[in-house]
Amino acid sequence: MRREATLPPGQRLIDGFPRFGHLSGGPPAVPDNPVIEIRGAVTEAFDVPLTMLSTLPRRELTADFHCVAGWSATKLRWEGVAFAAVYRTLIEPALSPGTAVTHLVCSGLDGWRSVVSIEDALADDVLVAERLNGRPLDGDHGAPVRFVSPRQYGFINTKHLCRIEVHTAEPKGIHGSLAMRVLAPHPRARVWEEERHRYLPSWSLRCAYRATIAFLMPKGGRSA
Ligand SMILES: Nc1nc2c(c(=O)[nH]1)N[C@H]1C(S)=C(S)[C@@H](COP(=O)(O)O)O[C@H]1N2
Ligand SMILES: [Mo]
């Protein structure tokens, strides 16, 4: 069977796993004692030092990775802790009484922000990953830790995770400019359902995305 047959709809294999940051500049500096700030619907804002993650059970996961622009990297081996364990152990006990959480906003040290529904965030293959392919995460792929949700497009997989905001309704206004609002990501972003964008059908951006990939990774793309 051709490998491509196992990729989600509209995806193409790429060689390796390129860095694909959308914000300019190189990887952000990692602070000496990194934390994940917990904000939003908690009784009091607090910070989780990354050292605290070592108190949770370790998780390993081999998964493919799919960018909304149509490239896929396969067989990435992530190691870290289950996001659900972080949530249940560290975040849930700090919620304000009676809070019904619907969404989280994950932020990266580079200013990246991404909204994820609580249902998707608590799926059993979602990790806070510290290692990739047997090595600590590097600057390209999200040092010091990354939110990894393999069943959702890359943009949900926030690199350099430094902040989680807890919300009781879908947060609006994450995407400031008109262009970004038109290109708004799909609220679920599930790759097998091809939920790329909120308003635009997948076919409408196919040519633009192919051109972007060809420009950014001239040797990388392999056609299906
Ligand atoms: N902090 C941060 N996370 C991010 C991004 C980013 O620019 N900054 N880009 C997203 C997008 S669109 C994709 S496809 C993947 C790319 O991951 P990679 O650079 O490890 O290949 O990271 C996602 N997470
Ligand atoms: Mo992406």
Side-chain angles (χ1 to χ4, degrees):
M1 202 206 321
R2 273 155 62 89
R3 171 79 217 161
E4 284 81 352
T6 66
L7 288 180
Q11 295 298 116
R12 293 175 174 204
L13 263 189
I14 198 155
D15 288 325
F17 185 33
R19 173 172 188 253
F20 205 66
H22 286 198
L23 301 172
S24 55
V30 175
D32 286 341
N33 296 302
V35 299
I36 302 175
E37 300 175 349
I38 310 296
R39 299 291 184 270
V42 282
T43 45
E44 213 177 322
F46 65 103
D47 297 348
V48 174
L50 293 190
T51 48
M52 202 181 264
L53 298 183
S54 61
T55 63
L56 299 173
R58 306 295 301 165
R59 270 291 299 277
E60 267 190 41
L61 177 83
T62 299
D64 297 347
F65 188 95
H66 312 286
C67 171
V68 73
W71 57 265
S72 297
T74 50
K75 296 198 181 129
L76 305 180
R77 192 159 52 83
W78 303 101
E79 289 168 64
V81 297
F83 179 76
V86 174
Y87 186 80
R88 301 279 182 224
T89 315
L90 303 170
I91 301 179
E92 208 167 45
L95 295 177
S96 313
T99 302
V101 175
T102 60
H103 295 81
L104 306 172
V105 178
C106 294
S107 308
L109 291 166
D110 59 351
W112 183 262
R113 298 184 84 205
S114 174
V115 184
V116 59
S117 77
I118 192 70
E119 181 185 351
D120 292 326
L122 294 179
D124 64 4
D125 55 356
V126 177
L127 300 192
V128 174
E130 294 163 321
R131 298 171 68 82
L132 169 62
N133 295 335
R135 280 190 289 273
L137 274 181
D138 61 13
D140 284 350
H141 295 300
V145 292
R146 176 176 200 157
F147 187 87
V148 172
S149 178
R151 279 184 278 171
Q152 295 180 281
Y153 286 113
F155 61 79
I156 300 281
N157 292 246
T158 299
K159 302 194 276 190
H160 324 294
L161 180 66
C162 65
R163 183 178 161 115
I164 296 171
E165 279 168 36
V166 181
H167 288 264
T168 54
E170 189 184 358
K172 300 281 179 189
I174 293 276
H175 305 283
S177 68
L178 180 63
M180 282 315 288
R181 287 206 297 272
V182 171
L183 289 172
H186 192 284
R188 299 296 301 277
R190 291 171 297 182
V191 294
W192 287 96
E193 283 75 7
E194 209 177 355
E195 295 169 336
R196 292 180 201 266
H197 291 277
R198 182 184 289 260
Y199 307 115
L200 300 176
S202 293
W203 57 262
S204 65
L205 287 168
R206 201 168 291 147
C207 291
Y209 277 147
R210 295 238 163 101
T212 309
I213 293 170
F215 177 73
L216 292 174
M217 315 172 190
K219 297 186 302 291
R222 220 193 282 161
S223 56

